[in-house]
């Protein structure tokens, strides 16, 4: 059982590291390897940041700060934080269709 836990721990850190970008933590590391777009989702990023901050050192602090900066940059005039920010050639596509984004932020 200990081997399985250690392997899962290593794989989760590998995946987390692949999903770190200069603008923060994204849900999909590569468009080529996924059916989904490379996008930053607030729920995913905050859950991952809570888990990683419980013992993985300072390595993840800057990516999580960058995630908050990116999401905060798109806060709308009513104060709502977006649920997702997806990079596109013509600019970022920002989605506000959630009710809990500000709570996660």
């Amino acid at each position: 059982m200990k081997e399985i836990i250690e392997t899962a721990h290593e794989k989760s850190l590998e995946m987390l590291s692949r999903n770190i970008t200069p603008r923060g933590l994204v849900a999909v590391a590569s468009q080529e390897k996924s059916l989904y777009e490379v996008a930053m989702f607030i729920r995913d990023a905050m859950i991952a940041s809570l888990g990683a901050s419980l013992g993985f050192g300072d390595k993840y602090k800057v990516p999580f700060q960058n995630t908050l900066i990116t999401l905060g940059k798109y806060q709308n005039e009513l104060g709502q934080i977006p649920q997702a920010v997806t990079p596109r050639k013509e600019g970022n596509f920002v989605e506000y269709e959630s009710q809990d984004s500000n709570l996660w932020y």
Side-chain angles (χ1 to χ4, degrees):
M1 184 64 146
K2 187 176 180 182
E3 254 183 60
I4 293 172
I5 293 170
E6 288 173 1
T7 301
H9 180 258
E10 289 172 18
K11 295 290 184 186
S12 64
L13 289 178
E14 287 173 19
M15 184 171 54
L16 184 62
S17 293
R18 281 194 311 267
N19 290 10
I20 292 173
T21 70
R23 63 189 181 94
L25 185 65
V26 294
V28 175
S30 170
Q31 187 71 49
E32 297 167 4
K33 296 180 181 181
S34 176
L35 298 173
Y36 303 99
E37 293 185 288
V38 175
M40 178 182 295
F41 292 93
I42 191 164
R43 237 177 260 123
D44 298 347
M46 295 304 109
I47 290 170
S49 68
L50 288 171
S53 68
L54 292 176
F56 301 124
D58 293 342
K59 178 180 178 180
Y60 299 103
K61 284 185 180 178
V62 171
F64 298 138
Q65 288 171 349
N66 291 343
T67 302
L68 291 172
I69 290 168
T70 298
L71 291 164
K73 179 179 173 183
Y74 294 101
Q75 184 175 22
N76 70 17
E77 64 279 352
L78 298 175
Q80 187 176 12
I81 299 294
Q83 75 170 16
V85 177
T86 305
R88 300 268 171 83
K89 289 178 186 175
E90 63 279 356
N92 288 329
F93 178 69
V94 184
E95 299 175 65
Y96 296 96
E97 295 83 17
S98 74
Q99 297 183 14
D100 63 348
S101 295
N102 284 50
L103 295 172
W104 284 109
Y105 189 78

